[in-house]
Amino acid sequence: DGKVDGKMGTFSIMHEGVFEAGVVRSTFRVIEGSQTAGLSRLKGEGSYEAGHSMLVDFDFSYSFLKDLNVAD
């Protein structure tokens, strides 16, 4: 459970990465159909690089699909 842009829900990610020369490089994306509640229309992807640190900074770009039943 978590919050993205003030909206609560859950989602799963697909994670792919490599470990080379002591560094992890990873990309990930939100799995379509895994989102729940307020995050049900979430799309996103991200990446990170990490060495031996226990803390990792990552980039996460996201958007929410428009509900076609709601007028703008």
Side-chain angles (χ1 to χ4, degrees), residues 43-62:
K43 289 186 69 167
E45 61 187 19
S47 64
Y48 67 87
E49 290 188 12
H52 296 285
S53 174
M54 296 298 289
L55 298 175
V56 177
D57 290 326
F58 62 90
D59 293 314
F60 180 53
S61 300
Y62 66 90

Side-chain angles (χ1 to χ4, degrees), residues 2-52:
K3 187 186 296 187
V4 176
D5 201 21
K7 300 175 185 193
M8 296 291 296
T10 63
F11 62 91
S12 296
I13 60 171
M14 170 66 78
H15 173 271
E16 297 176 327
V18 295
F19 181 76
E20 295 176 326
V23 177
V24 172
R25 290 177 182 82
S26 175
T27 59
F28 55 90
R29 64 178 174 79
V30 175
I31 298 172
E32 185 176 339
S34 70
Q35 312 91 319
T36 67
L39 301 179
S40 64
R41 304 186 73 67
L42 176 71
K43 289 186 69 167
E45 61 187 19
S47 64
Y48 67 87
E49 290 188 12
H52 296 285

